[in-house]
Amino acid sequence: TPAMIMSNMDKTFQYSSRQLQITRITSKPMLPTTIAWTRSNPPKFRRLLHSDGPSLETERSSVRFVFMSNLIDVSNPPQHWSDLFLVVDSIRSVVNEFDSSGEGVEVFVSNKKSIHHCHVGMRKPVDAQNLIASLQGKSVEWKFPTGECSQSPTLFLDYADITRRSEARGKRSDGYEVERGEPSRSECTSTTDHITVSGLEVVENFVTEEEENVLLAAVTGPYAPWATSQVVPSKTGSVKRRVQHYGYVFDYETANVLRNRQTAAAACPPMPKIPSIIKENNDVGFLEQHIKQSVEEGREWEALAGIIERTRRHKFQNGSSYPLINQMTLNEYRRGEGIGSHIDTPSAFGDGLMSLSLNSGIVMEFRNMNKGIKKLVYLPARSLLLLSGPARYEWEHHIVTRTTDTHNGEIKPRGLRISLTLRTALTALEGGKSPMMRVESDSYPPKWGAKSESDQKQTAAFITPS
């Protein structure tokens, strides 16, 4: 145990002012959030003294947390009671007797020197009820790993629950988006290897390192057309990230496409346009030669146009290709940022959603809420993700807010990630089944609100049927 590790360390060793953290590593899958607190930060608790919803007795009978106080005589504390690890182990040795799950119990204590109360997380509400019924008004013997024992005063126990704010931050499975910088435990992708998501495909090394560098220069350079800052609402506050839109604007507030490009809010830059001779020639080699030459000569906009055309023509394992792509949203994820759980609006975009990851990899989590299962998928840098069929319409996807991921047992630190999301925007007519016209331009740099040839360096936006 951590207590035994600390007790066996050389006491004369001089530590810095920063705390030493010891983490127990296990290959066992994480327990579900219904019976375990899985975040690294402890929750905040509230006593169940009153209820705003159901009756107090009903709420008390459904919680698994217990408040325990009067653990020691504060005027004469046991010798080892100032050692946090020893205190936790001694409390656990008493409370584990009432655990019927075999998973052990959770013990949450304050980091203050005088620990006279704690919170205990049982795995089942019935275990919490048995614990209170058995120890209420009783004195227990605290047993320390060192072999010493100490008798407690008369204990007081009561039902407790985590606060609503802590609950919202802990429910990753419900799609809550958490403020940047909050730590969380990284679950390994290998724990969900047995889960299959129909319609999900990851094409690794879809672009080369040279192509990636040119694309990054094109979309993050001095001429990058970043959209006006927009707050993305979430249940725990709000998260801001820089975005760019091409072809059509995706509005985060309405979760829909702004189809009228005549309005200022919808006048985003056109999609990059490939030369007509390339577009009319279906020879893949001809397109690849154009991309290679554009990359070698540093023609960023043309290289981006070529890569997008490559995604339109690529034949995936399901036998499909998606030539009608007419919208691109670029998201900049700084280290530690994530995105809430969602399904891209079906009435706004057609089947075949793609995401190209640049500069850094990420673990994306997919959840089928109807079946109650999830899949963790690592998206390496330069990979292309396809969501089609069930993966597109039945599985929610999100990125957990943290600074590292775990893939096949290896810790993967996150870096700045640029995601190019490519979609087919649909009209609002005929049930939204028809693709919008493709708005594209071969002018550079891209601009918002261009209304004349001079605004687009004497080249107007081309509108061609998709």
Side-chain angles (χ1 to χ4, degrees), residues 9 41 69 97 119-120 126-127 144 152 157 183 215 259 287 305 310 314 323 330 353-354 366 376 381 439 444:
M9 294 184 73
N41 276 359
S69 67
E97 177 184 345
H119 289 87
V120 174
V126 65
D127 291 345
F144 299 99
S152 77
L157 292 83
L215 294 182
R259 297 177 173 88
L287 171 63
R310 179 191 287 169
H314 183 79
L330 179 150
L353 182 152
M354 304 181 205
F366 296 84
L376 303 177
V439 181
Y444 186 82

Side-chain angles (χ1 to χ4, degrees), residues 137-149:
K138 304 290 180 62
S139 175
V140 299
E141 187 177 54
W142 303 124
K143 298 179 180 179
F144 299 99
T146 58
E148 300 179 21
C149 300

Side-chain angles (χ1 to χ4, degrees), residues 339-353:
I339 186 171
S341 184
H342 67 284
I343 293 177
D344 287 49
T345 311
S347 61
F349 301 108
D351 196 12
L353 182 152

